Amino acid sequence: MNHPDTTQLEVVVHRQLQECSSIFLALADPVRQDIVMMLTKHEALNVAQIVERTPMSRSAISHHLKILKQAGLLTSSKVGTEIFYSLEIEDSVKLLKAFLETTERILVLKTQGDE
């Protein structure tokens, strides 16, 4: 059971995991998952439009939107007095893919070491 030295990759994957942690935390909540799914069906929605589609209060939805935005999953734009939210997931997807690719490389190397 000789494992190749994966120390450098493990350092990289640890950093990548830290970079992805806000994404994981944001997506862990079912309400935020629902908001993301709503925004996959609509180019942009304001808070009132999201509240109409959920049993949550306006303040609760605003809180969830703030977390999603801080995680880099949403962008907002002001139109008149309303703020509209839309998905902005390309950067998050890149971070998650890089994390998964590094993790997979570590697993492959460790599996090869077991042969």
mmCIF file of all heavy atoms in Angstrom, residues 7-52:
data_model
loop_
_atom_site.group_PDB
_atom_site.id
_atom_site.type_symbol
_atom_site.label_atom_id
_atom_site.label_comp_id
_atom_site.label_asym_id
_atom_site.label_seq_id
_atom_site.Cartn_x
_atom_site.Cartn_y
_atom_site.Cartn_z
ATOM 1 N N THR A 7 1.245 15.284 -1.187
ATOM 2 C CA THR A 7 1.235 16.415 -0.265
ATOM 3 C C THR A 7 0.956 17.736 -0.969
ATOM 4 O O THR A 7 0.135 18.521 -0.499
ATOM 5 C CB THR A 7 2.580 16.502 0.493
ATOM 6 O OG1 THR A 7 2.818 15.251 1.136
ATOM 7 C CG2 THR A 7 2.562 17.605 1.524
ATOM 8 N N GLN A 8 1.621 17.990 -2.093
ATOM 9 C CA GLN A 8 1.412 19.262 -2.800
ATOM 10 C C GLN A 8 -0.034 19.386 -3.279
ATOM 11 O O GLN A 8 -0.642 20.448 -3.155
ATOM 12 C CB GLN A 8 2.373 19.392 -3.980
ATOM 13 C CG GLN A 8 3.800 19.666 -3.553
ATOM 14 C CD GLN A 8 4.721 19.788 -4.752
ATOM 15 O OE1 GLN A 8 4.577 19.066 -5.740
ATOM 16 N NE2 GLN A 8 5.665 20.711 -4.668
ATOM 17 N N LEU A 9 -0.569 18.302 -3.830
ATOM 18 C CA LEU A 9 -1.957 18.338 -4.286
ATOM 19 C C LEU A 9 -2.917 18.518 -3.115
ATOM 20 O O LEU A 9 -3.938 19.195 -3.235
ATOM 21 C CB LEU A 9 -2.309 17.057 -5.052
ATOM 22 C CG LEU A 9 -1.818 16.961 -6.484
ATOM 23 C CD1 LEU A 9 -2.172 15.604 -7.078
ATOM 24 C CD2 LEU A 9 -2.383 18.074 -7.337
ATOM 25 N N GLU A 10 -2.599 17.920 -1.981
ATOM 26 C CA GLU A 10 -3.459 18.062 -0.801
ATOM 27 C C GLU A 10 -3.466 19.501 -0.296
ATOM 28 O O GLU A 10 -4.493 19.989 0.172
ATOM 29 C CB GLU A 10 -3.051 17.071 0.276
ATOM 30 C CG GLU A 10 -3.429 15.644 -0.109
ATOM 31 C CD GLU A 10 -2.795 14.573 0.766
ATOM 32 O OE1 GLU A 10 -1.998 14.915 1.654
ATOM 33 O OE2 GLU A 10 -3.114 13.395 0.544
ATOM 34 N N VAL A 11 -2.341 20.184 -0.407
ATOM 35 C CA VAL A 11 -2.287 21.604 -0.038
ATOM 36 C C VAL A 11 -3.177 22.409 -0.987
ATOM 37 O O VAL A 11 -3.946 23.270 -0.563
ATOM 38 C CB VAL A 11 -0.829 22.132 -0.056
ATOM 39 C CG1 VAL A 11 -0.785 23.649 0.049
ATOM 40 C CG2 VAL A 11 -0.022 21.482 1.056
ATOM 41 N N VAL A 12 -3.093 22.094 -2.263
ATOM 42 C CA VAL A 12 -3.909 22.780 -3.268
ATOM 43 C C VAL A 12 -5.391 22.525 -3.016
ATOM 44 O O VAL A 12 -6.203 23.452 -3.002
ATOM 45 C CB VAL A 12 -3.527 22.346 -4.708
ATOM 46 C CG1 VAL A 12 -4.525 22.872 -5.731
ATOM 47 C CG2 VAL A 12 -2.120 22.809 -5.040
ATOM 48 N N VAL A 13 -5.764 21.257 -2.789
ATOM 49 C CA VAL A 13 -7.171 20.929 -2.601
ATOM 50 C C VAL A 13 -7.710 21.556 -1.315
ATOM 51 O O VAL A 13 -8.870 21.956 -1.248
ATOM 52 C CB VAL A 13 -7.419 19.402 -2.661
ATOM 53 C CG1 VAL A 13 -7.129 18.711 -1.341
ATOM 54 C CG2 VAL A 13 -8.840 19.114 -3.106
ATOM 55 N N HIS A 14 -6.870 21.695 -0.305
ATOM 56 C CA HIS A 14 -7.299 22.352 0.933
ATOM 57 C C HIS A 14 -7.621 23.821 0.675
ATOM 58 O O HIS A 14 -8.639 24.336 1.130
ATOM 59 C CB HIS A 14 -6.222 22.207 2.011
ATOM 60 C CG HIS A 14 -6.650 22.731 3.331
ATOM 61 N ND1 HIS A 14 -6.252 23.959 3.798
ATOM 62 C CD2 HIS A 14 -7.483 22.218 4.267
ATOM 63 C CE1 HIS A 14 -6.798 24.175 4.972
ATOM 64 N NE2 HIS A 14 -7.550 23.139 5.285
ATOM 65 N N ARG A 15 -6.767 24.482 -0.090
ATOM 66 C CA ARG A 15 -7.013 25.885 -0.453
ATOM 67 C C ARG A 15 -8.284 26.001 -1.285
ATOM 68 O O ARG A 15 -9.115 26.879 -1.068
ATOM 69 C CB ARG A 15 -5.816 26.462 -1.213
ATOM 70 C CG ARG A 15 -6.025 27.919 -1.654
ATOM 71 C CD ARG A 15 -4.877 28.436 -2.519
ATOM 72 N NE ARG A 15 -4.452 27.545 -3.581
ATOM 73 C CZ ARG A 15 -5.097 27.383 -4.749
ATOM 74 N NH1 ARG A 15 -6.192 28.053 -5.000
ATOM 75 N NH2 ARG A 15 -4.626 26.555 -5.668
ATOM 76 N N GLN A 16 -8.449 25.082 -2.231
ATOM 77 C CA GLN A 16 -9.645 25.102 -3.082
ATOM 78 C C GLN A 16 -10.907 24.869 -2.251
ATOM 79 O O GLN A 16 -11.937 25.507 -2.486
ATOM 80 C CB GLN A 16 -9.536 24.039 -4.182
ATOM 81 C CG GLN A 16 -8.504 24.372 -5.229
ATOM 82 C CD GLN A 16 -8.253 23.218 -6.177
ATOM 83 O OE1 GLN A 16 -8.274 22.047 -5.780
ATOM 84 N NE2 GLN A 16 -7.996 23.540 -7.439
ATOM 85 N N LEU A 17 -10.825 23.979 -1.292
ATOM 86 C CA LEU A 17 -11.972 23.721 -0.419
ATOM 87 C C LEU A 17 -12.341 24.979 0.360
ATOM 88 O O LEU A 17 -13.520 25.309 0.495
ATOM 89 C CB LEU A 17 -11.660 22.561 0.522
ATOM 90 C CG LEU A 17 -12.772 22.123 1.468
ATOM 91 C CD1 LEU A 17 -14.016 21.736 0.690
ATOM 92 C CD2 LEU A 17 -12.296 20.968 2.334
ATOM 93 N N GLN A 18 -11.340 25.685 0.848
ATOM 94 C CA GLN A 18 -11.603 26.948 1.558
ATOM 95 C C GLN A 18 -12.272 27.955 0.627
ATOM 96 O O GLN A 18 -13.192 28.661 1.031
ATOM 97 C CB GLN A 18 -10.309 27.529 2.120
ATOM 98 C CG GLN A 18 -9.765 26.735 3.287
ATOM 99 C CD GLN A 18 -8.402 27.224 3.743
ATOM 100 O OE1 GLN A 18 -7.594 27.689 2.941
ATOM 101 N NE2 GLN A 18 -8.145 27.112 5.032
ATOM 102 N N GLU A 19 -11.818 28.011 -0.634
ATOM 103 C CA GLU A 19 -12.415 28.937 -1.597
ATOM 104 C C GLU A 19 -13.859 28.574 -1.913
ATOM 105 O O GLU A 19 -14.667 29.447 -2.226
ATOM 106 C CB GLU A 19 -11.596 28.944 -2.897
ATOM 107 C CG GLU A 19 -10.225 29.573 -2.754
ATOM 108 C CD GLU A 19 -9.351 29.386 -3.991
ATOM 109 O OE1 GLU A 19 -9.735 28.624 -4.906
ATOM 110 O OE2 GLU A 19 -8.271 29.997 -4.031
ATOM 111 N N CYS A 20 -14.193 27.307 -1.827
ATOM 112 C CA CYS A 20 -15.545 26.828 -2.144
ATOM 113 C C CYS A 20 -16.478 26.809 -0.941
ATOM 114 O O CYS A 20 -17.690 26.619 -1.104
ATOM 115 C CB CYS A 20 -15.478 25.418 -2.730
ATOM 116 S SG CYS A 20 -14.683 25.305 -4.332
ATOM 117 N N SER A 21 -15.956 27.014 0.248
ATOM 118 C CA SER A 21 -16.778 26.830 1.449
ATOM 119 C C SER A 21 -18.000 27.738 1.487
ATOM 120 O O SER A 21 -19.086 27.304 1.887
ATOM 121 C CB SER A 21 -15.945 26.983 2.721
ATOM 122 O OG SER A 21 -15.453 28.298 2.832
ATOM 123 N N SER A 22 -17.874 28.975 1.038
ATOM 124 C CA SER A 22 -19.040 29.868 1.054
ATOM 125 C C SER A 22 -20.108 29.393 0.063
ATOM 126 O O SER A 22 -21.305 29.558 0.309
ATOM 127 C CB SER A 22 -18.640 31.316 0.755
ATOM 128 O OG SER A 22 -18.128 31.435 -0.557
ATOM 129 N N ILE A 23 -19.684 28.771 -1.019
ATOM 130 C CA ILE A 23 -20.633 28.217 -1.992
ATOM 131 C C ILE A 23 -21.384 27.044 -1.366
ATOM 132 O O ILE A 23 -22.611 26.961 -1.441
ATOM 133 C CB ILE A 23 -19.908 27.762 -3.281
ATOM 134 C CG1 ILE A 23 -19.201 28.938 -3.945
ATOM 135 C CG2 ILE A 23 -20.888 27.096 -4.249
ATOM 136 C CD1 ILE A 23 -18.206 28.541 -5.017
ATOM 137 N N PHE A 24 -20.627 26.143 -0.726
ATOM 138 C CA PHE A 24 -21.259 24.995 -0.073
ATOM 139 C C PHE A 24 -22.245 25.450 0.993
ATOM 140 O O PHE A 24 -23.358 24.929 1.083
ATOM 141 C CB PHE A 24 -20.207 24.078 0.556
ATOM 142 C CG PHE A 24 -19.346 23.344 -0.441
ATOM 143 C CD1 PHE A 24 -17.970 23.299 -0.280
ATOM 144 C CD2 PHE A 24 -19.889 22.685 -1.526
ATOM 145 C CE1 PHE A 24 -17.166 22.613 -1.167
ATOM 146 C CE2 PHE A 24 -19.100 21.998 -2.437
ATOM 147 C CZ PHE A 24 -17.733 21.968 -2.254
ATOM 148 N N LEU A 25 -21.830 26.420 1.804
ATOM 149 C CA LEU A 25 -22.709 26.913 2.869
ATOM 150 C C LEU A 25 -23.963 27.566 2.288
ATOM 151 O O LEU A 25 -25.071 27.366 2.787
ATOM 152 C CB LEU A 25 -21.964 27.902 3.768
ATOM 153 C CG LEU A 25 -20.914 27.279 4.689
ATOM 154 C CD1 LEU A 25 -20.068 28.365 5.346
ATOM 155 C CD2 LEU A 25 -21.570 26.402 5.738
ATOM 156 N N ALA A 26 -23.789 28.341 1.242
ATOM 157 C CA ALA A 26 -24.933 29.031 0.637
ATOM 158 C C ALA A 26 -25.918 28.032 0.046
ATOM 159 O O ALA A 26 -27.136 28.210 0.148
ATOM 160 C CB ALA A 26 -24.456 30.008 -0.437
ATOM 161 N N LEU A 27 -25.408 26.976 -0.561
ATOM 162 C CA LEU A 27 -26.276 26.006 -1.223
ATOM 163 C C LEU A 27 -26.808 24.922 -0.279
ATOM 164 O O LEU A 27 -27.645 24.120 -0.674
ATOM 165 C CB LEU A 27 -25.541 25.350 -2.389
ATOM 166 C CG LEU A 27 -25.203 26.290 -3.547
ATOM 167 C CD1 LEU A 27 -24.374 25.571 -4.590
ATOM 168 C CD2 LEU A 27 -26.464 26.883 -4.149
ATOM 169 N N ALA A 28 -26.359 24.922 0.967
ATOM 170 C CA ALA A 28 -26.791 23.901 1.925
ATOM 171 C C ALA A 28 -28.224 24.110 2.399
ATOM 172 O O ALA A 28 -28.862 23.173 2.853
ATOM 173 C CB ALA A 28 -25.846 23.878 3.125
ATOM 174 N N ASP A 29 -28.721 25.324 2.280
ATOM 175 C CA ASP A 29 -30.059 25.639 2.788
ATOM 176 C C ASP A 29 -31.124 25.397 1.719
ATOM 177 O O ASP A 29 -30.986 25.881 0.594
ATOM 178 C CB ASP A 29 -30.091 27.105 3.236
ATOM 179 C CG ASP A 29 -31.391 27.455 3.903
ATOM 180 O OD1 ASP A 29 -32.366 27.753 3.180
ATOM 181 O OD2 ASP A 29 -31.440 27.438 5.144
ATOM 182 N N PRO A 30 -32.206 24.677 2.053
ATOM 183 C CA PRO A 30 -33.260 24.396 1.061
ATOM 184 C C PRO A 30 -33.940 25.647 0.496
ATOM 185 O O PRO A 30 -34.303 25.658 -0.687
ATOM 186 C CB PRO A 30 -34.273 23.547 1.838
ATOM 187 C CG PRO A 30 -33.523 23.001 2.995
ATOM 188 C CD PRO A 30 -32.441 23.984 3.317
ATOM 189 N N VAL A 31 -34.081 26.688 1.291
ATOM 190 C CA VAL A 31 -34.695 27.925 0.785
ATOM 191 C C VAL A 31 -33.803 28.540 -0.282
ATOM 192 O O VAL A 31 -34.277 28.954 -1.346
ATOM 193 C CB VAL A 31 -34.957 28.938 1.929
ATOM 194 C CG1 VAL A 31 -35.422 30.280 1.373
ATOM 195 C CG2 VAL A 31 -35.966 28.375 2.921
ATOM 196 N N ARG A 32 -32.497 28.567 -0.028
ATOM 197 C CA ARG A 32 -31.574 29.128 -1.016
ATOM 198 C C ARG A 32 -31.503 28.247 -2.257
ATOM 199 O O ARG A 32 -31.374 28.747 -3.368
ATOM 200 C CB ARG A 32 -30.199 29.358 -0.378
ATOM 201 C CG ARG A 32 -30.255 30.468 0.683
ATOM 202 C CD ARG A 32 -28.899 30.910 1.139
ATOM 203 N NE ARG A 32 -28.209 29.984 1.999
ATOM 204 C CZ ARG A 32 -28.314 29.924 3.323
ATOM 205 N NH1 ARG A 32 -29.130 30.753 3.959
ATOM 206 N NH2 ARG A 32 -27.617 29.060 4.026
ATOM 207 N N GLN A 33 -31.619 26.949 -2.069
ATOM 208 C CA GLN A 33 -31.682 26.051 -3.225
ATOM 209 C C GLN A 33 -32.902 26.385 -4.077
ATOM 210 O O GLN A 33 -32.818 26.437 -5.307
ATOM 211 C CB GLN A 33 -31.754 24.589 -2.758
ATOM 212 C CG GLN A 33 -30.500 24.095 -2.089
ATOM 213 C CD GLN A 33 -30.690 22.753 -1.404
ATOM 214 O OE1 GLN A 33 -31.692 22.069 -1.582
ATOM 215 N NE2 GLN A 33 -29.710 22.366 -0.601
ATOM 216 N N ASP A 34 -34.030 26.634 -3.416
ATOM 217 C CA ASP A 34 -35.256 27.003 -4.146
ATOM 218 C C ASP A 34 -35.079 28.313 -4.904
ATOM 219 O O ASP A 34 -35.531 28.448 -6.045
ATOM 220 C CB ASP A 34 -36.446 27.115 -3.189
ATOM 221 C CG ASP A 34 -36.909 25.765 -2.655
ATOM 222 O OD1 ASP A 34 -36.515 24.725 -3.219
ATOM 223 O OD2 ASP A 34 -37.671 25.769 -1.663
ATOM 224 N N ILE A 35 -34.421 29.272 -4.281
ATOM 225 C CA ILE A 35 -34.181 30.566 -4.938
ATOM 226 C C ILE A 35 -33.311 30.369 -6.182
ATOM 227 O O ILE A 35 -33.600 30.919 -7.248
ATOM 228 C CB ILE A 35 -33.552 31.580 -3.959
ATOM 229 C CG1 ILE A 35 -34.560 31.967 -2.881
ATOM 230 C CG2 ILE A 35 -33.055 32.823 -4.712
ATOM 231 C CD1 ILE A 35 -33.969 32.777 -1.728
ATOM 232 N N VAL A 36 -32.266 29.577 -6.048
ATOM 233 C CA VAL A 36 -31.394 29.302 -7.198
ATOM 234 C C VAL A 36 -32.202 28.642 -8.311
ATOM 235 O O VAL A 36 -32.085 29.019 -9.486
ATOM 236 C CB VAL A 36 -30.180 28.428 -6.787
ATOM 237 C CG1 VAL A 36 -29.442 27.887 -8.011
ATOM 238 C CG2 VAL A 36 -29.237 29.235 -5.902
ATOM 239 N N MET A 37 -33.044 27.681 -7.955
ATOM 240 C CA MET A 37 -33.864 27.009 -8.969
ATOM 241 C C MET A 37 -34.832 27.987 -9.633
ATOM 242 O O MET A 37 -35.049 27.927 -10.843
ATOM 243 C CB MET A 37 -34.620 25.830 -8.354
ATOM 244 C CG MET A 37 -33.707 24.688 -7.911
ATOM 245 S SD MET A 37 -32.488 24.173 -9.154
ATOM 246 C CE MET A 37 -33.557 23.617 -10.452
ATOM 247 N N MET A 38 -35.404 28.904 -8.867
ATOM 248 C CA MET A 38 -36.285 29.925 -9.452
ATOM 249 C C MET A 38 -35.529 30.756 -10.477
ATOM 250 O O MET A 38 -36.047 31.062 -11.550
ATOM 251 C CB MET A 38 -36.801 30.884 -8.362
ATOM 252 C CG MET A 38 -37.949 30.396 -7.577
ATOM 253 S SD MET A 38 -38.391 31.683 -6.383
ATOM 254 C CE MET A 38 -38.543 30.692 -4.924
ATOM 255 N N LEU A 39 -34.308 31.113 -10.110
ATOM 256 C CA LEU A 39 -33.516 31.978 -10.990
ATOM 257 C C LEU A 39 -32.968 31.236 -12.203
ATOM 258 O O LEU A 39 -32.521 31.868 -13.156
ATOM 259 C CB LEU A 39 -32.417 32.675 -10.196
ATOM 260 C CG LEU A 39 -32.951 33.724 -9.207
ATOM 261 C CD1 LEU A 39 -31.851 34.197 -8.269
ATOM 262 C CD2 LEU A 39 -33.567 34.896 -9.948
ATOM 263 N N THR A 40 -32.999 29.912 -12.181
ATOM 264 C CA THR A 40 -32.633 29.180 -13.392
ATOM 265 C C THR A 40 -33.756 29.254 -14.419
ATOM 266 O O THR A 40 -33.522 29.092 -15.610
ATOM 267 C CB THR A 40 -32.314 27.689 -13.114
ATOM 268 O OG1 THR A 40 -33.466 27.045 -12.611
ATOM 269 C CG2 THR A 40 -31.148 27.538 -12.163
ATOM 270 N N LYS A 41 -34.976 29.520 -13.943
ATOM 271 C CA LYS A 41 -36.140 29.589 -14.824
ATOM 272 C C LYS A 41 -36.468 31.010 -15.262
ATOM 273 O O LYS A 41 -37.247 31.204 -16.190
ATOM 274 C CB LYS A 41 -37.350 28.980 -14.121
ATOM 275 C CG LYS A 41 -37.176 27.514 -13.807
ATOM 276 C CD LYS A 41 -38.336 26.979 -13.001
ATOM 277 C CE LYS A 41 -38.074 25.529 -12.625
ATOM 278 N NZ LYS A 41 -39.061 25.023 -11.697
ATOM 279 N N HIS A 42 -35.909 31.987 -14.567
ATOM 280 C CA HIS A 42 -36.182 33.397 -14.863
ATOM 281 C C HIS A 42 -34.853 34.134 -14.962
ATOM 282 O O HIS A 42 -33.953 33.905 -14.162
ATOM 283 C CB HIS A 42 -37.032 34.028 -13.755
ATOM 284 C CG HIS A 42 -38.327 33.323 -13.525
ATOM 285 N ND1 HIS A 42 -39.442 33.566 -14.293
ATOM 286 C CD2 HIS A 42 -38.678 32.365 -12.636
ATOM 287 C CE1 HIS A 42 -40.432 32.797 -13.869
ATOM 288 N NE2 HIS A 42 -40.002 32.053 -12.866
ATOM 289 N N GLU A 43 -34.767 35.018 -15.919
ATOM 290 C CA GLU A 43 -33.517 35.765 -16.092
ATOM 291 C C GLU A 43 -33.180 36.589 -14.859
ATOM 292 O O GLU A 43 -32.035 36.665 -14.439
ATOM 293 C CB GLU A 43 -33.617 36.667 -17.322
ATOM 294 C CG GLU A 43 -32.293 37.292 -17.691
ATOM 295 C CD GLU A 43 -32.368 38.043 -18.996
ATOM 296 O OE1 GLU A 43 -33.031 37.567 -19.927
ATOM 297 O OE2 GLU A 43 -31.749 39.110 -19.072
ATOM 298 N N ALA A 44 -34.200 37.215 -14.271
ATOM 299 C CA ALA A 44 -34.007 38.031 -13.073
ATOM 300 C C ALA A 44 -35.338 38.139 -12.339
ATOM 301 O O ALA A 44 -36.400 38.158 -12.962
ATOM 302 C CB ALA A 44 -33.489 39.418 -13.439
ATOM 303 N N LEU A 45 -35.246 38.207 -11.017
ATOM 304 C CA LEU A 45 -36.429 38.406 -10.176
ATOM 305 C C LEU A 45 -36.094 39.409 -9.087
ATOM 306 O O LEU A 45 -34.961 39.456 -8.600
ATOM 307 C CB LEU A 45 -36.854 37.088 -9.510
ATOM 308 C CG LEU A 45 -37.361 35.961 -10.408
ATOM 309 C CD1 LEU A 45 -37.506 34.678 -9.596
ATOM 310 C CD2 LEU A 45 -38.689 36.342 -11.056
ATOM 311 N N ASN A 46 -37.101 40.188 -8.682
ATOM 312 C CA ASN A 46 -36.894 41.064 -7.532
ATOM 313 C C ASN A 46 -37.389 40.353 -6.277
ATOM 314 O O ASN A 46 -37.973 39.263 -6.346
ATOM 315 C CB ASN A 46 -37.539 42.438 -7.743
ATOM 316 C CG ASN A 46 -39.049 42.375 -7.861
ATOM 317 O OD1 ASN A 46 -39.704 41.474 -7.335
ATOM 318 N ND2 ASN A 46 -39.624 43.328 -8.562
ATOM 319 N N VAL A 47 -37.185 40.955 -5.118
ATOM 320 C CA VAL A 47 -37.548 40.320 -3.853
ATOM 321 C C VAL A 47 -39.041 39.997 -3.818
ATOM 322 O O VAL A 47 -39.436 38.901 -3.416
ATOM 323 C CB VAL A 47 -37.139 41.199 -2.651
ATOM 324 C CG1 VAL A 47 -37.616 40.582 -1.343
ATOM 325 C CG2 VAL A 47 -35.634 41.399 -2.615
ATOM 326 N N ALA A 48 -39.865 40.927 -4.248
ATOM 327 C CA ALA A 48 -41.321 40.710 -4.219
ATOM 328 C C ALA A 48 -41.711 39.501 -5.070
ATOM 329 O O ALA A 48 -42.568 38.701 -4.660
ATOM 330 C CB ALA A 48 -42.052 41.964 -4.698
ATOM 331 N N GLN A 49 -41.099 39.342 -6.219
ATOM 332 C CA GLN A 49 -41.402 38.213 -7.093
ATOM 333 C C GLN A 49 -40.966 36.885 -6.466
ATOM 334 O O GLN A 49 -41.636 35.865 -6.632
ATOM 335 C CB GLN A 49 -40.741 38.405 -8.463
ATOM 336 C CG GLN A 49 -41.338 39.553 -9.251
ATOM 337 C CD GLN A 49 -40.501 39.913 -10.468
ATOM 338 O OE1 GLN A 49 -39.270 39.907 -10.421
ATOM 339 N NE2 GLN A 49 -41.179 40.233 -11.569
ATOM 340 N N ILE A 50 -39.868 36.916 -5.749
ATOM 341 C CA ILE A 50 -39.407 35.701 -5.070
ATOM 342 C C ILE A 50 -40.326 35.381 -3.890
ATOM 343 O O ILE A 50 -40.712 34.233 -3.687
ATOM 344 C CB ILE A 50 -37.936 35.840 -4.627
ATOM 345 C CG1 ILE A 50 -37.030 35.964 -5.863
ATOM 346 C CG2 ILE A 50 -37.516 34.659 -3.760
ATOM 347 C CD1 ILE A 50 -35.603 36.354 -5.566
ATOM 348 N N VAL A 51 -40.714 36.406 -3.136
ATOM 349 C CA VAL A 51 -41.618 36.223 -1.992
ATOM 350 C C VAL A 51 -42.944 35.617 -2.456
ATOM 351 O O VAL A 51 -43.500 34.740 -1.780
ATOM 352 C CB VAL A 51 -41.839 37.551 -1.229
ATOM 353 C CG1 VAL A 51 -42.965 37.432 -0.216
ATOM 354 C CG2 VAL A 51 -40.546 37.999 -0.551
ATOM 355 N N GLU A 52 -43.450 36.058 -3.601
ATOM 356 C CA GLU A 52 -44.699 35.510 -4.151
ATOM 357 C C GLU A 52 -44.630 34.004 -4.369
ATOM 358 O O GLU A 52 -45.650 33.323 -4.323
ATOM 359 C CB GLU A 52 -45.016 36.159 -5.514
ATOM 360 C CG GLU A 52 -45.466 37.583 -5.460
ATOM 361 C CD GLU A 52 -45.586 38.196 -6.854
ATOM 362 O OE1 GLU A 52 -45.363 37.491 -7.875
ATOM 363 O OE2 GLU A 52 -45.891 39.396 -6.929
#
